[in-house]
Structures are given as structure tokens and as C-alpha cells.
Amino acid sequence: MRILSTSTEDLKICSDLLKNGETVAIPTETVYGLAANALKSEAVEKIFLAKGRPADNPLIVHISDISSFSEYCYPTDEAYALAEKFWPGPLTVILPKKDVIPAIVSAGLDTVAIRMPSHPTARKIIENCGFPLAAPSANISGKPSPTRAEHVISDMENNPYVSAVVNGGPCECGVESTVVSLTGEHPCLLRPGAVTVEQLKEVLPDLTVAEAVLQSLPENEKALSPGLKHKHYAPDAETVCLCGSTESAVGYIERHKDGRKTTVICFEGEENCFCDCKTIVYGSPDKPETLAENVFDALRKADVSGCEKIYVRCAPPKGTALAVYNRLLRASNFCVINTEEET
Ligand code: TXA
Ligand code: MG
């Protein structure tokens, strides 16, 4: 796997690889994506092989200008209203798909996910290519999403299906795009992200929120978005989310000591509160964007530290913190404890 910079020459190499049907990990404002030509099945197949991604989990198609939006799907008035307000940026919309998008991209569904990223490097690469890029997060399926080039390298270094990574530094948002389906009776939030429910409701007053956003689905229930049902973001160590005050979290951890090497992913100001535990600060609940920016990096750091148990402090699931909470629910396999209630 080659490591490329964001220089004009390296971005030319990147688009040549993509034109040649290869996959390249590229930075976006949300997370790193593993990109391939969205119009070529054989290229897209390499993404699934590289990630070990289940074939029933569809990919997002990335475009660089609004004029190509209607080439790949049938946009509605609501879709254009969202595009006008939030594109380029961390929002994905699901719409009925046109036939140019191969079935492998949409996992056989008759809908397709489209997004126009705001990251200048991602946009430049799509423009150079002249075709849209299918790109899921560039991690091995099930692992925390990559928000730094080093995360991609750690997952994909010797992967025969990945030709290069473009190092664009850390990603600004740190969590994947907000996903909204416009194919049902009412618009529906399938995945929370940096574009918040509150912001979406200004354009879509009748927005609903899929149950799976905050809850685990029963085994046999059909998910609106296949991505909601797969295991996700999980570090190797057992992970438990703790909601509540610092004091009550300290008490909980103290009462549940079991001799295992423990890391606490905590808020700013809490780093000296948990005796006998290693701590990783990931941001402040007053500034939930900082939590989003660092959450995946913190989960990966905790794993690398070789601990046997991870506690993560959770902020109330509002605004941007809803996206963080949604990822932590999955990272912990829905193990969430309210330390205020636990006795
Ligand atoms: O921020 C992002 O969205 C990043 C960057 C690289 O753009 N990409 C990303 O892709 O997170 P991925 O594949 O990790 O997540 C795509 C999500 C999955 O949950 C998938 O199931 C859902 O979007 N999805 C894609 N197409 C869909 C469709 N036609 N219907 C319902 N859900 C769909
Ligand atoms: Mg992903």
C-alpha cells in the first residue's frame, strides 16, 4: 500500500489508481473512506473484499457537484432542499436509484445513498476522476472507523485489495455522515452525524428517527438500513458505557473492580479521578464536537494500550452528542449503565 500526500502530483497518482479500477483510502471531513469507481462493479467488489464487509451492506456514492446528483438517483424537492442547506458536507441522502449504479453498490436495493463531501482533497479526487466514488469507512468491518491516516494503515497495511492511502491529517467531524432516507412516507434519520436532528428538522419538520438509532434491534427484525444491524466500532476489549456524574461514575468503577487492566475514556477534567485505571481524555460534554472528533481515536488507543476492559463516559444524547452516543452504543454492544441509578 502506497502512502500519498495531498500534493497535486500525489492526487494525480491517486486518481490514476482509481481510474485503473483500484481502491484508495481518502480523507473526508467525517472519516477516511475506502474509495473505488462507483460505476464499475469489479472496482467496487475490491472494497467489500478489503474490508471483509457483508455483501448486504450498501455503500455511499460520493459526488463533487450538484449537477451530477440526478444522474445516479431520482432526487425529490426535499432532497434538493437538503442539498442546498447541507452540501457540501456531512449528510447522506437515500433516494430511488438509477440503473447506472451497479447492484453491488446498493447491495441489490432499488435505492442508493448519495453524499457530496466538503473536504477539499476528497472533492479534488472526485473531480480528477470524472466519476463518482463509492466509499465506506476505510476500516476493517466491525472495527472503529478511521479518522487518521495511521488508523487506515493499521487496518489495511498489507491488504492486497488496497493500493494507497492519501494522508490528509485528522478528520474534522470524526464521526460518519448523517444518513437520511427520503424513500418512505416520511423522511427518516437512519444514522445521526454532525448534521443534527435539530438542524434537519428546520428543512424536514416531519422527520422521524429510526428505532435502531438508540436501541438494538431484535435478531430477526428487518433494519431500514442494513448498516444498523451489523456489529460495529468494537474494540477488542469488553466496553461499557457510563452515563451520569463524574462522582457516580467513580463510585461505580470502584465497586466493580475485578483485577482486570482497565482504561477509562473520560471527559476533560476527569483524568485524575479514576485510581488504578489508565485514562484517555476525549473531549468535553460542553463541546460535543470534541467528543465526536476524538471518539474513534480514543477507542483505538484504548485497544492498543492492551487493556482488558474499557469504560467510556457518555454525554446526554442531544445535538452532536447523539451521533457519539449512537456509535458508543454499538462499540459496547449496547452495554450502557446509568451510574446515578446503579446502587
Ligand atoms: O461519512 C461517511 O458517510 C463515510 C465517508 C467515507 O463518506 N462513509 C461511511 O460509509 O460511513 P459506511 O459504508 O461506513 O456507512 C454507510 C451507511 C451504512 O450504515 C449503510 O447501511 C447505509 O449507509 N446505506 C447505504 N446505502 C443505503 C441504502 N440504499 N439504504 C439504506 N441504508 C444505506
Ligand atoms: Mg462504516
Side-chain angles (χ1 to χ4, degrees):
M1 187 175 78
R2 297 179 67 167
I3 298 173
L4 301 172
S5 74
T6 56
S7 69
T8 308
E9 304 83 76
D10 274 13
L11 294 192
K12 163 103 177 40
I13 296 172
C14 168
S15 32
D16 286 345
L17 289 167
L18 291 164
K19 285 177 190 169
N20 209 19
E22 298 182 38
T23 77
V24 180
I26 64 167
T28 81
E29 71 278 20
T30 57
V31 301
Y32 277 74
L34 185 61
N37 182 346
L39 306 180
K40 288 262 177 307
S41 301
E42 314 82 73
V44 173
E45 193 183 358
K46 292 181 188 162
I47 295 178
F48 283 88
L49 292 169
K51 284 180 57 90
R53 184 176 175 105
D56 67 351
N57 195 2
L59 307 178
I60 297 172
V61 173
H62 297 70
I63 58 175
S64 63
D65 72 293
I66 192 77
S67 62
S68 63
F69 192 16
S70 58
E71 283 179 39
Y72 312 117
C73 66
Y74 297 91
T76 56
D77 290 348
E78 281 177 331
Y80 281 116
L82 287 175
E84 174 142 346
K85 179 128 193 213
F86 300 110
W87 279 359
L91 176 72
T92 296
V93 293
I94 314 265
L95 288 159
K97 144 182 141 49
K98 286 197 173 166
D99 290 342
V100 280
I101 298 294
I104 186 172
V105 171
S106 60
L109 300 173
D110 52 15
T111 56
V112 62
I114 313 258
R115 135 166 153 85
M116 192 197 295
S118 62
H119 196 291
T121 304
R123 299 170 60 73
K124 186 83 200 135
I125 295 167
I126 303 168
E127 275 162 29
N128 286 352
C129 285
F131 46 74
L133 295 175
S137 48
N139 52 293
I140 293 291
S141 273
K143 289 277 144 206
S145 294
T147 54
R148 319 259 192 272
E150 304 87 80
H151 300 162
V152 178
I153 295 166
S154 141
D155 278 18
M156 301 296 187
E157 195 159 23
N158 295 313
N159 196 306
Y161 300 106
V162 182
S163 297
V165 56
V166 176
N167 187 348
C171 301
E172 189 187 328
C173 302
V175 290
E176 306 89 337
S177 61
T178 304
V179 180
V180 175
S181 171
L182 298 174
T183 61
E185 196 183 329
H186 296 284
C188 181
L189 178 86
L190 302 183
R191 180 174 74 184
V195 173
T196 64
V197 172
E198 295 79 357
Q199 287 174 308
L200 287 169
K201 283 199 166 161
E202 288 171 22
V203 181
L204 306 170
D206 59 340
L207 180 79
T208 58
V209 175
E211 255 179 58
V213 166
L214 284 175
Q215 205 165 299
S216 86
L217 284 176
E219 274 299 306
N220 49 11
E221 190 156 315
K222 192 168 174 288
L224 282 177
S225 177
L228 295 172
K229 75 174 191 221
H230 294 290
K231 187 171 171 242
H232 254 108
Y233 316 124
D236 295 327
E238 182 192 342
T239 305
V240 176
C241 298
L242 299 182
C243 306
S245 65
T246 305
E247 201 181 19
S248 66
V250 169
Y252 179 88
I253 292 175
E254 192 60 33
R255 287 194 302 280
H256 290 81
K257 265 192 192 155
D258 59 6
R260 280 188 288 175
K261 263 173 57 185
T262 303
T263 294
V264 185
I265 299 178
C266 66
F267 299 142
E268 256 167 53
E270 292 184 337
E271 52 271 41
N272 298 318
C273 297
F274 306 100
C275 337
D276 305 330
C277 298
K278 190 176 146 42
T279 51
I280 298 172
V281 178
Y282 79 121
S284 160
D286 303 332
K287 287 179 259 143
E289 321 78 59
T290 58
L291 302 174
E293 194 185 330
N294 297 309
V295 63
F296 287 132
D297 184 54
L299 287 168
R300 282 176 177 264
K301 279 196 178 121
D303 240 0
V304 170
S305 78
C307 64
E308 297 157 291
K309 180 151 197 180
I310 301 173
Y311 288 112
V312 193
R313 300 279 292 122
C314 276
K318 290 186 304 243
T320 308
L322 175 65
V324 179
Y325 187 76
N326 167 272
R327 307 314 189 268
L328 289 175
L329 279 179
R330 282 159 179 81
S332 66
N333 202 11
F334 296 90
C335 183
V336 183
I337 287 162
N338 181 343
T339 52
E340 303 285 334
E341 283 168 7
E342 221 269 346
T343 48

